[in-house]
Amino acid sequence: MTRSNRTDDAVKDLVRQHWNDRAATFDDASQHGIHTDEQRERWLSVFREWTGDDPLRVLDVGCGTGVVSLLLAELGHDVTGVDFAPEMLERARTKAERVDRSVAFHRGDAESLAVPDDAVELLTARHLIWTLPNPGAAIDEWQRVVEPGGSILLIEGYWDHDEPWDEYEAIHDELPMYDGRPPADLREFLARNGLTEIEHEPLSDPALWGREPHYEYYVMTGTVPR
């Protein structure tokens, strides 16, 4: 992998531009939005299984249009969503108002969060880590904001696209986890960066994605050491 002389800020500007441009139509794809009662119930079941029954303080990083944030709020958790793309956040806020969910959405950088230490019990991120120029720094930052003994829950996948597209043509070489990773690789990465008790489960049910999954999707959790 070849790194250019482009700064991390320049890389992030292109990432933000990409997701701002996609915000208006992002939820239209069956694998991104929630389109049926069956899909919604299936995702609620996944999050219920991995978060338990007790309400938690949750930070949803890279929340996008608020899909995961709103599902977690529906389960009774106290959720805050953070994203780098303001257009995504506007859609998240509109959706929260429409379904009368009390979720706070803020603009923020996943690698440098304006959140106090030990502020939440659970941090979630869906299909985010591949977009980050410094994923190891992000894991450190996420552990900072999660209280000891709390969890980081990732919805991830391995896409292995033939070619990068749009802004990613220019920056994919500067994203160490571009295209995602197989679960064994991500497990090793999380362990190397300090998480313990790492578990994962495939997310291969077509009901979750509104179609037969084209790629390898999974949920993975790790515990922040005490």
Side-chain angles (χ1 to χ4, degrees):
M1 181 177 294
T2 302
R3 298 276 298 192
S4 76
N5 293 324
R6 192 180 284 110
T7 66
D8 286 350
D9 284 345
V11 172
K12 291 178 182 182
D13 284 344
L14 288 173
V15 170
R16 179 172 55 244
Q17 178 180 320
H18 176 88
W19 296 108
N20 272 337
D21 290 347
R22 292 184 62 184
T25 59
F26 182 78
D27 284 339
D28 294 346
S30 64
Q31 71 273 25
H32 293 157
I34 301 294
H35 297 271
T36 66
D37 288 342
E38 180 187 23
Q39 189 176 27
R40 176 177 149 276
E41 289 299 328
R42 188 67 187 89
W43 274 112
L44 288 172
S45 177
V46 168
F47 286 117
R48 190 180 294 112
E49 175 186 353
W50 287 90
T51 64
D53 296 325
D54 295 334
L56 301 173
R57 288 172 283 114
V58 182
L59 183 66
D60 185 27
V61 182
C63 65
T65 63
V67 173
V68 171
S69 300
L70 293 174
L71 289 167
L72 291 168
E74 185 170 348
L75 290 174
H77 301 297
D78 179 9
V79 185
T80 299
V82 174
D83 200 274
F84 207 44
E87 294 296 328
M88 287 281 191
L89 290 170
E90 282 305 306
R91 280 152 183 81
R93 294 183 183 112
T94 298
K95 288 162 65 175
E97 291 173 4
R98 187 167 62 239
V99 297
D100 195 25
R101 296 289 175 197
S102 180
V103 179
F105 291 104
H106 303 289
R107 186 172 173 185
D109 183 341
E111 296 181 359
S112 181
L113 296 164
V115 177
D117 294 357
D118 305 338
V120 297
E121 297 160 286
L122 173 68
L123 182 144
T124 59
R126 173 167 132 157
H127 300 165
L128 171 66
I129 204 165
W130 70 273
T131 71
L132 304 177
N134 301 292
I139 297 298
D140 289 345
E141 179 72 343
W142 299 354
Q143 291 182 84
R144 179 186 68 77
V145 304
V146 175
E147 66 180 30
S151 298
I152 292 173
L153 184 154
L154 307 179
I155 304 294
E156 275 303 332
Y158 181 45
W159 295 276
D160 195 21
H161 293 120
D162 292 334
E163 297 289 342
W165 69 100
D166 297 338
E167 288 77 10
Y168 286 101
E169 290 185 27
I171 61 175
H172 69 281
D173 281 342
E174 293 159 86
L175 304 174
M177 302 193 80
Y178 179 79
D179 260 353
R181 287 293 182 275
D185 291 0
L186 185 60
R187 173 189 283 271
E188 180 183 350
F189 173 80
L190 296 180
R192 192 167 62 246
N193 283 276
L195 293 182
T196 62
E197 302 176 39
I198 300 168
E199 302 178 75
H200 87 280
E201 180 178 72
L203 295 176
S204 55
D205 183 351
L208 291 166
W209 311 105
R211 65 182 193 185
E212 285 290 338
H214 297 172
Y215 305 105
E216 184 176 17
Y217 297 117
Y218 55 93
V219 56
M220 183 170 291
T221 66
T223 299
V224 175
R226 295 184 184 275

